[in-house]
């Protein structure tokens, strides 16, 4: 009889340990991510905000606190607004056609085709290709004198175009590079979402005589709206951070100007390239000014993410 209370006590201890394990273990599993994020994400973010409030240069041993002067100067800087316009222009020209083409490719691959795995791997190859190789090859394609694009255009009576010299032409060339790299990657994300759509919907639409385009517009797109919004958010954030393509394009095309100016007239300098110029390519190494520009970029990304989050909530509410 004396062993009964002891057994009950053991069961209670086991139950408490089990409950404690269920409550604590999830936090233990995600703790490494948050530790790394605080060390390499949150701390640099906070420290950058502190630097932006100072006149901070690598050439000086003293850093003077100046408050919001860097931000007020930045908002009156024409080069900053030029970089903002270039970033938005390249982002729109590359993101909108890219997403439309990615949805179309995913729709094609969602059908029963031979060698599906081969096609899916081929879509991912541009994304894993070195960005340096991509920009060098496309810079040759868009070359003024011996470029393949100008050679094809000459068949239609179009003269040689100096793609790197103009604002519109350079934005178009950079957009093509970005589209080539990321269209296949986004198409695979859309394809994964499309495969979760019930096949019965397509079969019923086929019996009703709906075409492939009608099925895409009436069935596929409404069913994968949350995925579309997610890809739009990620693509928008990526468009705000474009730096490698314009930096290497300016060097490969021989457009002149400084290493980070985005051409002699800053015709394709993006916000990220502007930050790089102020912090590392400028003779003053003005970290305070570059940090202020970085924080304005960060705030713009946060605003865009919040707007897209509200859209996502509305879309999910409409689908439930």
């Amino acid at each position: 009889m004396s062993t009964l209370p002891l057994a009950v006590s053991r069961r209670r201890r086991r139950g408490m340990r089990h409950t404690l394990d269920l409550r604590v273990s999830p936090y233990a599993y995600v703790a490494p991510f948050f530790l790394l994020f605080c060390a390499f994400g949150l701390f640099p973010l906070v420290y950058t905000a502190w630097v932006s409030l100072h006149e901070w240069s690598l050439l000086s041993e003293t850093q003077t606190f100046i408050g919001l002067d860097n931000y007020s100067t930045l908002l009156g800087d024409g080069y900053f607004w030029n970089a903002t316009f270039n970033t938005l222009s390249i982002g729109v020209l590359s993101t909108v056609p890219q997403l439309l083409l990615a949805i179309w490719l995913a729709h094609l691959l969602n059908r029963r085709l031979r060698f599906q795995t081969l096609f899916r791997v081929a879509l991912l190859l541009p994304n894993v290709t070195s960005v340096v190789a991509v920009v060098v090859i496309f810079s040759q394609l868009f070359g003024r004198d011996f470029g393949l694009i100008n050679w094809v255009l000459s068949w239609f009576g179009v003269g040689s175009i100096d793609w790197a010299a103009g604002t519109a032409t350079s934005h178009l060339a950079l957009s093509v590079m970005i589209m080539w790299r990321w269209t296949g990657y986004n198409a695979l994300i859309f394809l994964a979402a499309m495969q979760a759509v019930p096949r019965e919907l397509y079969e019923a639409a086929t019996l009703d005589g709906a075409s492939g385009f009608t099925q895409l517009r009436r069935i596929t797109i409404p069913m994968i709206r949350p995925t579309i919004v997610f890809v739009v958010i990620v693509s928008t954030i990526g468009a705000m951070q474009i730096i490698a393509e314009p930096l290497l394009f300016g060097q490969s095309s021989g457009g002149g100007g400084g290493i980070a100016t985005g051409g002699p007239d800053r015709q394709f300098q993006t916000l990220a390239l502007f930050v790089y110029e102020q912090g590392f390519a400028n003779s003053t190494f003005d970290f305070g000014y570059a940090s202020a520009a970085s924080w304005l970029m960060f705030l713009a990304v946060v605003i865009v993410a919040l707007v897209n989050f509200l859209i996502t909530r509305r879309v999910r509410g409409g689908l439930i």
Side-chain angles (χ1 to χ4, degrees):
M1 296 294 294
S2 61
T3 59
L4 183 58
L6 182 60
V8 173
S9 178
R10 289 178 178 174
R11 291 194 189 97
R12 288 179 178 176
R13 286 197 296 268
R14 291 196 194 100
M16 291 177 62
R17 286 197 298 268
H18 180 68
T19 303
L20 184 64
D21 180 65
L22 290 178
R23 292 180 177 179
V24 175
S25 58
Y27 297 99
Y29 295 147
V30 301
F33 164 76
F34 285 102
L35 291 175
L36 292 174
F37 173 74
C38 291
F40 300 102
L42 185 59
F43 172 74
L45 190 65
V46 175
Y47 188 70
T48 302
W50 174 252
V51 172
S52 68
L53 302 177
H54 292 74
E55 186 177 347
W56 197 296
S57 174
L58 290 181
L59 303 179
S60 176
E61 297 181 356
T62 60
Q63 294 82 33
T64 306
F65 182 82
I66 57 176
L68 299 177
D69 287 355
N70 281 327
Y71 292 94
S72 60
T73 304
L74 190 63
L75 293 176
D77 191 343
Y79 291 154
F80 171 77
W81 292 111
N82 173 72
T84 302
F85 167 77
N86 292 339
T87 302
L88 294 176
S89 175
I90 296 172
V92 172
L93 289 176
S94 61
T95 301
V96 175
Q98 174 193 147
L99 296 181
L100 295 176
L101 183 59
I103 291 177
W104 179 69
L105 289 174
H107 179 65
L108 294 179
L109 291 178
N110 196 33
R111 302 177 179 180
R112 294 181 179 179
L113 301 174
R114 293 183 179 180
F115 311 110
Q116 283 187 345
T117 304
L118 178 62
F119 288 128
R120 294 172 185 176
V121 172
L123 284 179
L124 196 60
L125 285 178
N127 183 251
V128 300
T129 305
S130 170
V131 63
V132 177
V134 172
V135 176
V136 169
I137 292 174
F138 274 90
S139 296
Q140 298 301 318
L141 292 176
F142 285 100
R144 181 187 61 184
D145 298 322
F146 305 103
L148 179 62
I149 305 298
N150 281 339
W151 179 61
V152 174
L153 291 177
S154 66
W155 299 349
F156 304 95
V158 179
S160 297
I161 300 175
D162 191 351
W163 294 91
T167 300
T169 54
S170 60
H171 291 188
L172 181 61
L174 289 169
S175 300
V176 171
M177 299 179 198
I178 298 169
M179 287 173 55
W180 189 83
R181 286 194 66 211
W182 293 102
T183 298
Y185 176 82
N186 290 326
L188 292 181
I189 296 178
F190 288 137
L191 178 61
M194 290 178 183
Q195 290 181 338
V197 179
R199 289 288 176 181
E200 292 79 6
L201 297 178
Y202 295 108
E203 294 173 359
T206 302
L207 293 176
D208 291 339
S211 63
F213 177 74
T214 302
Q215 294 180 21
L216 173 64
R217 186 166 55 92
R218 295 291 186 178
I219 299 175
T220 305
I221 293 180
M223 294 296 292
I224 66 170
R225 280 179 183 174
T227 303
I228 293 175
V229 174
F230 167 77
V231 174
V232 169
I233 293 173
V234 175
S235 300
T236 303
I237 295 174
M240 296 287 293
Q241 300 173 345
I242 298 172
I243 182 172
E245 287 83 357
L247 177 64
L248 297 172
F249 182 61
Q251 294 177 334
S252 300
S253 61
I259 188 174
T261 58
D265 298 325
R266 300 177 181 266
Q267 61 267 27
F268 53 89
Q269 185 185 48
T270 60
L271 279 173
L273 202 55
F274 176 80
V275 173
Y276 173 77
E277 178 193 13
Q278 300 302 320
F280 298 97
N282 237 343
S283 59
T284 58
F285 296 98
D286 195 346
F287 271 32
Y289 198 65
S291 298
S294 299
W295 255 90
L296 288 182
M297 285 181 56
F298 171 75
L299 293 178
V301 170
V302 169
I303 292 173
V304 172
L306 287 176
V307 171
N308 283 283
F309 173 73
L310 296 176
I311 295 175
T312 304
R313 287 187 58 184
R314 178 173 297 183
V315 168
R316 289 179 179 175
L319 293 177
I320 293 177

